Amino acid sequence: MSGLLTAPFLKEMVRTVSDMYARGWDERNGGNVSLLLTEDEVASYLDGVLREIPTGFEAPALEGRYLLLTGTGKYFRNVPHQPEECLGLIRLTEQGRTAQLLWGFSDGGSFTSELPAHVLSHAARLSVDPNHRVVLHCHPTNLLAMTYVHTLDEREFTRTLWRMGTECIAVFPEGLGVLPWMLCGTNEIGVATAEKMRRHRLVVWAQHGLYGAGNALDQTFGLIETAEKAAEVYLKIAHLPIVNTITDQQLRIMADAWGYRPPTGWLE
Ligand code: 2HA
Ligand code: ZN
């Protein structure tokens, strides 16, 4: 199955992970990415099951689905150099309780410790968007910093970011979900993240990082990039006297002009 290294989706995965690392969003083994693939996309590369790995949870909605994803303990920095060790292709079977390894994790490794949050978030997003494909977790510096100095109220957190650039409300009109600090790598944080993902493509993990979801790697990267830029602007100005801002009325004008419907009550 070495041909998989030339697959367009693999190249795009490596490029995305490399760009995330270059942005400083994924220090050491921080962050994890998973991409849903169809049988058609992977069929020509498949030649059998290498190993079966228990997942530790159930996700019937993803029965039989294929996922290209990052491995536990792997450094994003190494992905372009050791893709076959750092990445894996799995198929979920037995109601999501088993992952069949089809390619990758060639040093005997396994999928990301955050698999519950990924798989449950995929299921949640698919239930509201049939074109959904990507879940991307990282530790973007400015959003992470913001969770120490800004209220974690979702409406307030979102409104602050919407005001940090005119196009923010167009990129994430549904706003951000925010979870309080929780232990990562558990089914509990996976369930809580997926619950937020029904309404938001961005979910902040306070004092930890961010989850983003979307229809393509490119688009999901761009979503996170936009929110992270807004957080950077916020941290640059939060301690200065504010002379000008984007008003509630201007947020409303943009939402109306571009046809977006933010959550009720979040615009004013
Ligand atoms: O170890 O970022 O949340 C990777 C992580 C866990
Ligand atoms: Zn993390």
Side-chain angles (χ1 to χ4, degrees):
M1 214 172 154
S2 55
L4 196 112
L5 284 170
T6 62
F9 56 78
L10 194 115
K11 290 183 179 172
E12 181 66 359
M13 177 71 134
V14 171
R15 188 167 77 92
T16 303
V17 167
S18 302
D19 285 346
M20 292 171 75
Y21 178 72
R23 297 292 175 111
W25 300 349
D26 298 279
E27 71 290 342
R28 198 173 181 273
N29 64 324
N32 24 77
V33 179
S34 63
L35 167 68
L36 276 171
L37 294 164
T38 63
E39 179 132 27
D40 279 353
E41 283 172 302
V42 298
S44 66
Y45 303 104
L46 297 184
D47 51 28
V49 177
L50 303 175
R51 283 187 272 145
E52 295 205 327
I53 312 171
T55 63
F57 60 89
E58 285 191 9
L62 265 75
E63 168 76 28
R65 303 296 293 254
Y66 296 85
L67 280 171
L68 179 68
L69 74 183
T70 51
T72 182
K74 298 304 183 199
Y75 294 18
F76 276 21
R77 183 169 167 260
N78 295 334
V79 170
H81 310 287
Q82 302 163 323
E84 205 157 343
E85 276 183 31
C86 297
L87 303 175
L89 177 68
I90 61 170
R91 186 161 78 106
L92 291 167
T93 60
E94 296 180 277
Q95 307 288 304
R97 288 193 299 273
T98 299
Q100 296 180 327
L101 180 65
L102 305 170
W103 175 88
F105 304 143
S106 61
D107 59 348
S110 185
F111 43 72
T112 167
S113 60
E114 301 291 4
L115 192 70
H118 279 254
V119 167
L120 300 174
S121 292
H122 281 299
R125 289 307 306 167
L126 281 171
S127 73
V128 293
D129 176 6
N131 296 320
H132 160 84
R133 298 189 79 179
V134 175
V135 171
L136 205 153
H137 167 61
C138 55
H139 306 159
T141 312
N142 295 287
L143 278 162
L144 172 56
M146 204 173 143
T147 67
Y148 290 86
V149 298
H150 194 284
T151 168
L152 298 178
D153 178 84
E154 290 175 343
R155 176 180 174 277
E156 291 308 317
F157 202 94
T158 296
R159 284 164 51 79
T160 294
L161 293 178
W162 279 345
R163 284 196 293 262
M164 295 304 119
T166 291
E167 292 183 357
C168 287
I169 196 167
V171 178
F172 45 93
E174 81 275 34
L176 287 79
V178 182
L179 288 179
W181 184 91
M182 292 175 74
L183 183 63
C184 57
T186 62
N187 288 352
E188 287 71 27
I189 200 168
V191 169
T193 306
E195 161 64 22
K196 298 282 183 197
M197 280 276 178
R198 291 183 186 284
R199 274 164 287 121
H200 308 280
R201 289 165 301 149
L202 289 169
V203 178
V204 175
W205 283 8
Q207 292 83 51
H208 182 138
L210 182 69
Y211 265 75
N215 301 348
L217 286 165
D218 211 23
Q219 182 224 47
T220 314
F221 183 92
L223 175 67
I224 292 180
E225 191 178 28
T226 307
E228 169 63 357
K229 168 84 175 264
E232 182 178 358
V233 173
Y234 171 72
L235 292 178
K236 280 188 196 295
I237 66 166
H239 61 294
L240 299 173
I242 304 300
V243 178
N244 305 298
T245 190
I246 293 175
T247 64
D248 286 353
Q249 193 196 0
Q250 288 164 338
L251 288 175
R252 165 70 64 193
I253 288 170
M254 287 187 276
D256 289 348
W258 297 330
Y260 294 113
R261 296 186 49 196
T264 309
W266 282 30
L267 275 178
E268 54 280 313

